[in-house]
Amino acid sequence: MNIGQAFKMAISSVISNKMRSFLTMLGIIIGVAAVIIMVALVQGTTNDITSRMESMGTNLINVTLTGRYSSVNLDMDDMEKLVEGNPEYFVSVAPSINGNVTAKVGTVNENTSLLGTNQHYSTILNAEVESGRFITEQDVAGRKKVAVIGKYIANHYFEGEDPLGQSIKISGQVFTVVGVLKAKTTNISQNSQDDRIIIPYSAAQRLLRNAIIRSYSFQAASKEVAEKASEKLEELLLSLLGNENAYNVMNQAEMLETVESIMGTMSLMLGGIAGISLLVGGIGIMNIMLVSVTERTREIGIRKAIGARRASIMTQFIIESIVVSGLGGIMGIIWGMTGSYLLGKFTSIPTSVSVSIVILSAGISAGIGIFFGWYPANKASKLNPIDALRFE
Amino acid sequence: MTSALIRIENMYKIYKMGDSEVRALDGVNIEIHQNEFVSIMGPSGSGKSTLMNMIGCLDTPTSGKYYIDGIETSQMRDDQLADIRNRKIGFIFQSYNLLTKLTVLENVELPLIYMGKSRSERHRLAMQAIEKVGLSGREHHRPNQLSGGQQQRVAIARALANHPPLILADEPTGALDSKTGKEILEMIKEIHQSGNTVILITHDEQIAQTANRIIRIQDGKIFSDSEVGQA
Ligand SMILES: Nc1ncnc2c1ncn2[C@@H]1O[C@H](COP(=O)(O)OP(=O)(O)OP(=O)(O)O)[C@@H](O)[C@H]1O
Ligand SMILES: [Mg+2]
C-alpha cells in the first residue's frame, strides 16, 4: 500500500487516541530524554575536567603520599631536595594543602575552598594574578597571613571595592589580601575555580591544624623530559619510602587518560541505564500495538476481504508503530535538550549535548517502532479474513 | 456455451467441535456463468454464508475444488487470494462493513489503493462509483453520518469501484426496512443489467425471485437449482 496513505492513517489513529498515544509515547520520551541528558552530563563534565587540566600548567607531575605502607614521612624540604638534586628533570615543586573554610568580609560570610602552597604554584599550575602579587618565598618562610583570592571572592565579597590591602577573615583569622587571580571560568560562579583562596602553605598548616602535606606538584624541566621525569620521581620516592604503595605519581597525560576512561565508563553506564528505559518504552509500544490489533480485528478483516495483501496490513501497523515511537523520539529529544540546557544553566553541573547522540536516539526510537511493531503487525497481517470479519 | 465464471466441484466444509462435526457444506457442485443473476436460498444455518465465503475466497474448503475465471484456488497463498478478491469480486455484506474512521470517498477508494491505482485514477473511479449509487455530495461524510440504506450504497460503490466481474451480496437487505431494501435490490438488479455476474444470498423467497436462477440449499446440500419462472 501507499506509504503516504499509511502515514496519514497512522497519524489520524494517533490523534483519535490522544491520551493513550501519549502514555505509550511516554516510555520512549523518557528513555530518549534520559539518554540525552545523561550523556550530556558526562560529556559536559569530561569537557570541564579536561579543560581544567589543560588550563593547569604543562609538564605537571602530581605526587600524592598515601601516608601508609612506610614509616618514613617526607615533607616539603625533602621534595625541594629532590628538585635541587635533579635539575635536569625538575624545575620546581609546589605543595598543596586543601581545606574548606569560611571566609568573612564585612557581612559576607560563606564557605570557600582554601589552598596552601608556595611561590612556585603560580607558574606550575598557571595561577596568574590579575592585580597585586602571588605568594612569595618570604610569605612562606615568615608564615605570613597573606591571601591571594580568586575572582569570585574579589567580586562577591568586596563588591566592587579594590580588595588589595583589605582584610579577610579565614576561619576566624585575619589575612591581608595581596593579590587577585585572573578568572579561570567565563561565568565566575560560586564553587567554580574562581571561588578560592590561596595562602602560604606554612600558614595553612597552622590554620587547618594539618602538619603533613600529602600532595605536591612538580614541574618537569621540559615537555620532552616529562615522561622520564615522572619515572625518575617514582624511582626516587621508592628508594626513600621503600614501598611503592606509599606514593602515587601521575603526570598530566596519564591524568587526562584516566579521566577520559572513567568518563567513558560512566557514559556507558548511564547510557545503558537510560537505554533500559528505552527498552521498556519499546515494550510499551508493542503492548499497545497488540491491543490495537485486537481492537481492529474487524477492520483488518474488511481490508483483507477487499484485497489487502499481508504486506499492506503489515506496513500499516508498522508505520503506526513508527509514528508513535518517532513522535515519542522527537518529543524526547526536545525534552532532553531542554533538560540539559536548564541543568547547565541553573546548576553548576556542566552539560554538553552531543549531536551524534541526538541523531542516534532519533534513529533508535524509529528502530524501536520497527522492532516492537513487527510482531503485532505480523500478527495482524496473518489474520484469517473470515475469522477477522466474524470478530465482534 | 461460455466457460463458467465459477465452478465448485464436490466441495465440503466440515467444522469439528469436539466429538460432533457440522457439515456446513456437504458435497456441493455449482457452475455459474458470466452475467448470470443467481440467488442462493435456504433457511438459517443451511450453509449459505459458508458457501458465500468459499465463493468469495474468504475461507478455504475442507475438500473439493473451486475455480474462479478458470483459475483453481485451493492451493493458493494468502496474497494470491487477496488479489483475486481485489480484482474479481465485489462484496456487499449484511452489516455493510465500512471503515468507520474513513470518509465515504476513502472507503470507496480502498480497493483501488490495494489494486495499486494512482491517486488521480483512484479518485476518478471512486467518484464514478459514488455517483452510480447516487451519493454524490456525500463523499466527505463518515459512515455514521449516513442512514443504513446510504451506508449499504457506499458498500455497493466500494464493491463496484474496481469493476470486478462478480458481485457477492450476503443478505444485503437484512438490516434495512422493506422500502430501503427494495431500493438496494433495484440497484443490484441494475448492476446485473450493466453486465456483472451477481450472486445474492437470502432466506427471503420474494427477494430470491429477483434473480434469474435460484439455488436452494439445506443442511449443506443443494436440493434444487432452477431458472425463475420455470417452477
Ligand atoms: N466457524 C464455525 N465453527 C463451527 N460451526 C460453524 C462455523 N461457521 C458456521 N458454522 C456452522 O455451519 C452451519 C452453516 O452456517 P452458515 O453461517 O453458513 O449458515 P447460514 O445459512 O448463513 O445461516 P444464516 O441464514 O443464519 O446466516 C451452521 O450450522 C453453523 O453453526
Ligand atoms: Mg449467513
Side-chain angles (χ1 to χ4, degrees):
Chain A
M1 181 181 30
N2 184 308
I3 302 274
Q5 191 83 12
F7 263 107
K8 213 183 118 201
M9 280 184 326
I11 286 168
S12 72
S13 145
V14 166
I15 290 171
S16 67
N17 278 314
K18 278 191 203 72
M19 194 59 191
R20 187 164 99 182
S21 305
F22 176 73
L23 290 176
T24 310
M25 279 177 212
L26 205 54
I28 300 290
I29 295 175
I30 292 173
V32 167
V35 168
I36 290 177
I37 292 176
M38 298 285 195
V39 175
L41 276 177
V42 174
Q43 193 62 48
T45 310
T46 311
N47 291 351
D48 186 55
I49 294 177
T50 313
S51 78
R52 271 181 203 230
M53 290 181 59
E54 278 166 356
S55 81
M56 288 175 182
T58 44
N59 312 335
L60 178 68
I61 304 165
N62 273 347
V63 171
T64 316
L65 302 177
T66 58
R68 283 174 294 160
Y69 303 106
S70 176
S71 53
V72 185
N73 274 326
L74 297 179
D75 62 14
M76 188 56 200
D77 292 341
D78 300 311
M79 296 299 172
E80 274 175 338
K81 267 179 216 147
L82 288 182
V83 172
E84 280 157 22
N86 301 280
E88 70 275 30
Y89 290 127
F90 308 113
V91 178
S92 57
V93 58
S96 296
I97 302 180
N98 292 294
N100 285 313
V101 293
T102 56
K104 182 168 183 271
V105 175
T107 56
V108 186
N109 188 4
E110 283 175 18
N111 285 318
T112 185
S113 63
L114 182 79
L115 170 71
T117 187
N118 68 4
Q119 68 279 9
H120 297 304
Y121 186 89
S122 175
T123 37
I124 300 177
L125 286 126
N126 262 355
E128 288 174 62
V129 289
E130 178 184 83
S131 61
R133 61 171 180 82
F134 201 74
I135 289 161
T136 62
E137 204 174 345
Q138 291 74 33
D139 293 335
V140 175
R143 211 180 274 147
K144 298 239 176 75
K145 290 187 175 172
V146 293
V148 177
I149 58 176
K151 193 70 184 168
Y152 173 79
I153 309 262
N155 291 350
H156 183 69
Y157 288 65
F158 293 96
E159 290 161 352
E161 278 181 56
D162 183 6
L164 292 183
Q166 306 240 34
S167 301
I168 183 166
K169 251 191 184 168
I170 305 170
S171 290
Q173 298 195 27
V174 179
F175 280 68
T176 308
V177 176
V178 295
V180 177
L181 293 166
K182 271 190 188 163
K184 283 244 175 188
T185 58
T186 47
N187 55 348
I188 310 178
S189 58
Q190 196 165 20
N191 300 324
S192 74
Q193 292 180 86
D194 293 312
D195 181 9
R196 65 166 176 173
I197 299 175
I198 298 176
I199 61 172
Y201 72 86
S202 48
Q205 278 176 307
R206 179 166 291 187
L207 190 71
L208 299 172
R209 294 193 182 82
N210 183 0
I212 299 166
I213 307 175
R214 297 206 192 285
S215 175
Y216 298 91
S217 302
F218 285 76
Q219 186 179 18
S222 69
K223 203 168 185 170
E224 288 68 41
V225 299
E227 185 93 33
K228 275 220 170 102
S230 109
E231 281 163 22
K232 179 76 186 171
L233 199 50
E234 294 212 33
E235 197 183 302
L236 291 167
L237 289 169
L238 183 59
S239 71
L240 287 171
L241 294 165
N243 186 318
E244 56 182 29
N245 292 320
Y247 60 87
N248 188 7
V249 175
M250 214 180 231
N251 62 39
Q252 209 183 9
E254 280 174 347
M255 285 191 274
L256 272 175
E257 272 169 35
T258 310
V259 168
E260 269 156 23
S261 100
I262 291 172
M263 287 305 173
T265 314
M266 286 266 285
S267 206
L268 275 181
M269 245 173 60
L270 293 177
I273 292 169
I276 289 172
S277 66
L278 264 182
L279 182 75
V280 173
I283 293 169
I285 288 196
M286 177 143 110
N287 183 30
I288 216 71
M289 288 306 296
L290 282 172
V291 171
S292 175
V293 168
T294 308
E295 279 178 354
R296 288 155 69 185
T297 301
R298 197 171 172 84
E299 174 191 332
I300 295 164
I302 295 170
R303 287 178 183 275
K304 291 199 110 177
I306 60 179
R309 289 183 172 200
R310 271 189 190 177
S312 304
I313 302 288
M314 186 103 188
T315 312
Q316 185 189 338
F317 280 89
I318 291 253
I319 285 188
E320 190 165 326
S321 156
I322 292 175
V323 165
V324 170
S325 66
L327 283 178
I330 291 170
M331 282 168 84
I333 287 171
I334 294 170
W335 286 24
M337 288 176 76
T338 313
S340 308
Y341 171 78
L342 293 177
L343 259 182
K345 194 169 162 78
F346 293 111
T347 70
S348 60
I349 309 166
T351 56
S352 157
V353 175
S354 83
V355 179
S356 56
I357 282 296
V358 170
I359 294 170
L360 188 71
S361 357
I364 286 177
S365 45
I368 282 174
I370 297 176
F371 185 80
F372 288 99
W374 194 270
Y375 173 72
N378 192 42
K379 193 177 155 185
S381 79
K382 282 188 175 154
L383 282 177
N384 189 354
I386 195 63
D387 293 338
L389 273 177
R390 272 205 204 103
F391 185 86
E392 289 306 327
Chain B
M1 190 183 122
T2 51
S3 73
L5 178 62
I6 277 173
R7 197 160 88 230
I8 292 171
E9 283 177 5
N10 217 15
M11 186 181 278
Y12 289 83
K13 181 69 180 182
I14 299 167
Y15 294 106
K16 287 212 164 64
M17 323 265 282
D19 287 342
S20 67
E21 57 169 42
V22 178
R23 293 178 165 240
L25 292 179
D26 196 2
V28 172
N29 289 285
I30 299 177
E31 218 170 85
I32 295 173
H33 294 271
Q34 210 76 251
N35 203 23
E36 275 197 88
F37 186 177
V38 182
S39 286
I40 294 177
M41 256 212 75
S44 184
S46 55
K48 304 184 296 290
S49 294
T50 309
L51 183 57
M52 142 122 177
N53 294 337
M54 298 304 157
I55 296 171
C57 294
L58 289 169
D59 206 353
T60 45
T62 310
S63 71
K65 286 213 157 103
Y66 175 46
Y67 298 85
I68 178 162
D69 233 0
I71 311 162
E72 215 279 298
T73 60
S74 59
Q75 300 304 315
M76 280 190 171
R77 287 181 294 109
D78 245 30
D79 282 353
Q80 290 173 305
L81 291 173
D83 286 350
I84 288 196
R85 290 193 294 269
N86 186 241
R87 279 147 219 265
K88 303 219 180 284
I89 304 164
F91 290 94
I92 305 170
F93 300 96
Q94 174 172 3
S95 50
Y96 326 132
N97 279 341
L98 299 174
L99 295 188
T100 50
K101 284 184 183 167
L102 304 187
T103 63
V104 167
L105 180 62
E106 287 166 333
N107 266 291
V108 178
E109 276 187 335
L110 267 188
L112 296 159
I113 289 176
Y114 294 130
M115 201 180 195
K117 289 266 193 261
S118 75
R119 200 185 179 78
S120 55
E121 184 73 352
R122 231 154 60 201
H123 190 80
R124 191 179 65 79
L125 289 169
M127 292 303 273
Q128 209 179 340
I130 291 169
E131 199 195 320
K132 205 181 276 178
V133 299
L135 282 178
S136 298
R138 301 277 187 165
E139 298 86 359
H140 301 294
H141 289 220
R142 287 183 196 278
N144 59 13
Q145 297 167 323
L146 300 175
S147 73
Q150 288 169 329
Q151 290 187 51
Q152 192 59 296
R153 288 197 227 175
V154 177
I156 293 172
R158 184 179 66 187
L160 295 176
N162 274 8
H163 294 289
L166 176 64
I167 298 292
L168 264 185
D170 187 2
E171 306 269 10
T173 61
L176 303 171
D177 62 58
S178 59
K179 183 169 166 287
T180 325
K182 257 185 206 138
E183 283 170 23
I184 295 294
L185 223 49
E186 277 309 308
M187 198 163 275
I188 290 174
K189 244 194 226 168
E190 279 168 32
I191 293 169
H192 166 241
Q193 272 151 19
S194 67
N196 279 96
T197 308
V198 176
I199 299 177
L200 176 66
I201 288 166
T202 182
H203 60 262
D204 183 316
E205 184 66 43
Q206 223 181 329
I207 291 172
Q209 294 294 336
T210 322
N212 303 337
R213 173 180 164 195
I214 301 179
I215 297 173
R216 288 171 207 274
I217 172 171
Q218 191 141 31
D219 296 331
K221 289 192 175 86
I222 291 173
F223 81 88
S224 96
D225 183 346
S226 57
E227 302 290 315
V228 170
Q230 289 188 341

